[in-house]
Amino acid sequence: MALEITDSSFQDTVLKSDKPVLVDFWAVWCGPCRTLGPIIEEVASDFEGKAVVGKVDVDNNQEISMQYGIRNIPTVLIFKNGEVVDKLVGVTPKEIIAEKLSAHL
């Protein structure tokens, strides 16, 4: 299951992770985010133990959202060694998300 990542947990969960981290920036009111949600959960299950998969609610975690310039949601960022290495905006098929994340394992 995807982790809930907050402004306060972002540093430890994402930036200090020794594994690649996929972060889904979303909001409860966002229709496309609700479409992407189950896909992110499947990716979290598929990559368990190999990568960290989490979600940031942009309404409740505006500091991180602003820091990474999140203007459209859903936006998925992939981090490796604390750096953004890939970005996907909008609803993206599971195969593409998995392919992008696999490239950083």
Side-chain angles (χ1 to χ4, degrees):
M1 191 169 150
L3 296 170
E4 183 179 330
I5 299 172
T6 63
D7 285 343
S8 58
S9 70
F10 191 85
Q11 175 91 17
D12 287 337
T13 306
V14 179
L15 301 182
K16 292 183 178 176
S17 176
D18 59 348
K19 296 180 175 115
V21 184
L22 181 145
V23 181
D24 173 24
F25 289 84
W26 72 289
V28 173
W29 49 264
C30 165
C33 299
R34 288 197 301 268
T35 301
L36 185 62
I39 295 170
I40 295 298
E41 292 298 334
E42 285 182 34
V43 170
S45 174
D46 292 350
F47 283 85
E48 193 171 340
K50 295 182 269 187
V52 176
V53 176
K55 299 169 75 76
V56 172
D57 182 331
V58 297
D59 290 334
N60 298 328
N61 300 284
Q62 295 179 358
E63 187 181 310
I64 291 301
S65 302
M66 285 192 307
Q67 182 177 338
Y68 287 95
I70 304 302
R71 301 214 185 332
N72 301 306
I73 53 174
T75 292
V76 173
L77 298 181
I78 298 175
F79 291 80
K80 187 167 186 181
N81 301 321
E83 301 291 323
V84 176
V85 293
D86 216 331
K87 178 179 182 176
L88 302 160
V89 179
V91 177
T92 307
K94 178 183 172 186
E95 296 73 31
I96 293 175
I97 296 170
E99 188 178 297
K100 297 265 189 187
L101 185 54
S102 291
H104 299 288
L105 293 179

Coordinates of all heavy atoms in Angstrom, one line a residue, residues 10 25 58 61-73 75 77 79 84 87 89:
F10 N 8.5 14.0 4.7 CA 9.1 13.9 3.4 C 10.6 13.7 3.4 O 11.1 12.9 2.6 CB 8.7 15.3 2.6 CG 9.1 15.2 1.2 CD1 8.2 14.7 0.3 CD2 10.3 15.7 0.7 CE1 8.4 14.6 -1.1 CE2 10.6 15.6 -0.7 CZ 9.7 15.1 -1.6
F25 N 1.5 13.2 -6.2 CA 0.9 14.4 -5.7 C -0.6 14.5 -6.1 O -0.8 14.5 -7.3 CB 1.6 15.7 -6.1 CG 3.0 15.8 -5.5 CD1 4.1 15.1 -6.1 CD2 3.2 16.6 -4.4 CE1 5.4 15.2 -5.5 CE2 4.5 16.7 -3.9 CZ 5.6 16.0 -4.4
V58 N -1.9 17.4 -1.7 CA -1.4 18.7 -1.9 C -2.1 19.8 -1.1 O -1.5 20.8 -0.7 CB -1.4 19.1 -3.4 CG1 -0.5 18.3 -4.2 CG2 -2.8 19.1 -4.0
N61 N -0.4 19.4 2.4 CA 1.1 19.5 2.4 C 1.6 20.5 1.4 O 2.2 20.1 0.4 CB 1.6 18.1 2.2 CG 1.2 17.1 3.3 OD1 1.7 17.1 4.4 ND2 0.2 16.3 2.9
Q62 N 1.2 21.7 1.6 CA 1.5 22.7 0.6 C 3.0 23.1 0.5 O 3.5 23.5 -0.6 CB 0.7 24.0 0.8 CG -0.8 23.7 0.7 CD -1.7 24.9 0.9 OE1 -1.3 25.9 1.3 NE2 -3.0 24.7 0.7
E63 N 3.7 22.9 1.6 CA 5.1 23.2 1.6 C 5.9 22.4 0.5 O 6.6 22.9 -0.3 CB 5.7 23.0 3.0 CG 7.1 23.4 3.2 CD 7.6 23.1 4.6 OE1 6.9 23.5 5.6 OE2 8.6 22.5 4.7
I64 N 5.7 21.1 0.6 CA 6.4 20.2 -0.4 C 5.9 20.4 -1.8 O 6.7 20.5 -2.7 CB 6.2 18.7 0.0 CG1 6.9 18.4 1.3 CG2 6.6 17.8 -1.1 CD1 8.4 18.6 1.3
S65 N 4.6 20.6 -1.9 CA 4.0 20.9 -3.2 C 4.6 22.1 -3.9 O 4.9 22.1 -5.1 CB 2.5 21.0 -3.1 OG 1.9 19.8 -2.5
M66 N 4.7 23.2 -3.1 CA 5.3 24.4 -3.6 C 6.8 24.2 -3.9 O 7.3 24.7 -4.9 CB 5.1 25.6 -2.6 CG 3.7 26.1 -2.7 SD 3.5 27.7 -1.8 CE 4.2 27.3 -0.2
Q67 N 7.5 23.5 -3.0 CA 8.9 23.3 -3.2 C 9.2 22.6 -4.5 O 10.2 23.0 -5.2 CB 9.5 22.5 -2.1 CG 11.0 22.3 -2.1 CD 11.5 21.5 -0.9 OE1 10.9 21.5 0.1 NE2 12.7 20.9 -1.1
Y68 N 8.4 21.7 -5.0 CA 8.6 21.0 -6.2 C 7.8 21.5 -7.4 O 7.7 20.9 -8.4 CB 8.4 19.5 -6.0 CG 9.5 18.9 -5.2 CD1 9.5 18.8 -3.8 CD2 10.8 18.6 -5.8 CE1 10.5 18.3 -3.0 CE2 11.8 18.1 -5.0 CZ 11.7 18.0 -3.7 OH 12.8 17.6 -2.9
G69 N 7.2 22.7 -7.2 CA 6.5 23.3 -8.3 C 5.3 22.6 -8.8 O 5.1 22.6 -10.1
I70 N 4.6 21.9 -8.0 CA 3.4 21.1 -8.4 C 2.3 22.1 -8.8 O 1.7 22.7 -7.9 CB 3.0 20.1 -7.3 CG1 4.1 19.2 -6.9 CG2 1.8 19.3 -7.8 CD1 4.8 18.4 -8.0
R71 N 2.0 22.2 -10.0 CA 0.9 23.1 -10.5 C -0.3 22.3 -11.0 O -1.4 22.8 -11.0 CB 1.5 24.0 -11.6 CG 2.7 24.8 -11.2 CD 2.7 26.1 -11.9 NE 3.8 27.0 -11.6 CZ 4.6 27.1 -10.6 NH1 4.5 26.2 -9.6 NH2 5.6 27.9 -10.5
N72 N -0.1 21.2 -11.5 CA -1.1 20.3 -12.0 C -1.1 19.0 -11.3 O 0.0 18.5 -11.0 CB -1.0 20.0 -13.5 CG -0.9 21.3 -14.4 OD1 -1.8 22.1 -14.3 ND2 0.1 21.5 -15.1
I73 N -2.3 18.5 -11.0 CA -2.4 17.2 -10.3 C -3.3 16.3 -11.1 O -4.2 16.8 -11.8 CB -2.8 17.3 -8.9 CG1 -4.1 18.0 -8.7 CG2 -1.7 17.8 -8.0 CD1 -4.7 18.0 -7.3
T75 N 0.4 14.7 -10.3 CA 1.8 14.7 -10.8 C 2.5 13.6 -10.0 O 2.4 13.5 -8.8 CB 2.4 16.1 -10.6 OG1 1.8 17.0 -11.4 CG2 3.9 16.0 -10.9
L77 N 6.3 12.2 -9.2 CA 7.7 12.4 -9.3 C 8.4 11.2 -8.8 O 8.0 10.5 -7.9 CB 8.1 13.6 -8.4 CG 7.6 15.0 -8.7 CD1 8.1 16.0 -7.7 CD2 7.9 15.4 -10.1
F79 N 12.0 9.9 -7.3 CA 13.3 10.4 -6.7 C 14.3 9.3 -6.6 O 13.9 8.1 -6.3 CB 13.0 10.9 -5.3 CG 12.2 12.2 -5.2 CD1 10.8 12.1 -5.3 CD2 12.8 13.4 -4.9 CE1 10.0 13.2 -5.2 CE2 12.0 14.5 -4.9 CZ 10.6 14.5 -5.0
V84 N 15.1 14.5 -8.0 CA 14.0 14.2 -8.9 C 14.7 13.6 -10.2 O 15.5 14.3 -10.8 CB 13.1 15.4 -9.2 CG1 12.0 15.0 -10.3 CG2 12.4 15.9 -8.0
K87 N 9.4 12.7 -14.1 CA 8.2 13.3 -13.7 C 7.1 12.9 -14.7 O 7.4 12.9 -15.9 CB 8.4 14.9 -13.8 CG 7.2 15.7 -13.6 CD 7.5 17.2 -13.6 CE 6.3 18.0 -13.3 NZ 6.7 19.5 -13.3
V89 N 2.9 13.8 -15.5 CA 1.8 14.6 -15.2 C 0.5 14.1 -15.8 O 0.5 13.7 -17.0 CB 2.0 16.1 -15.7 CG1 0.8 17.0 -15.3 CG2 3.3 16.7 -15.0

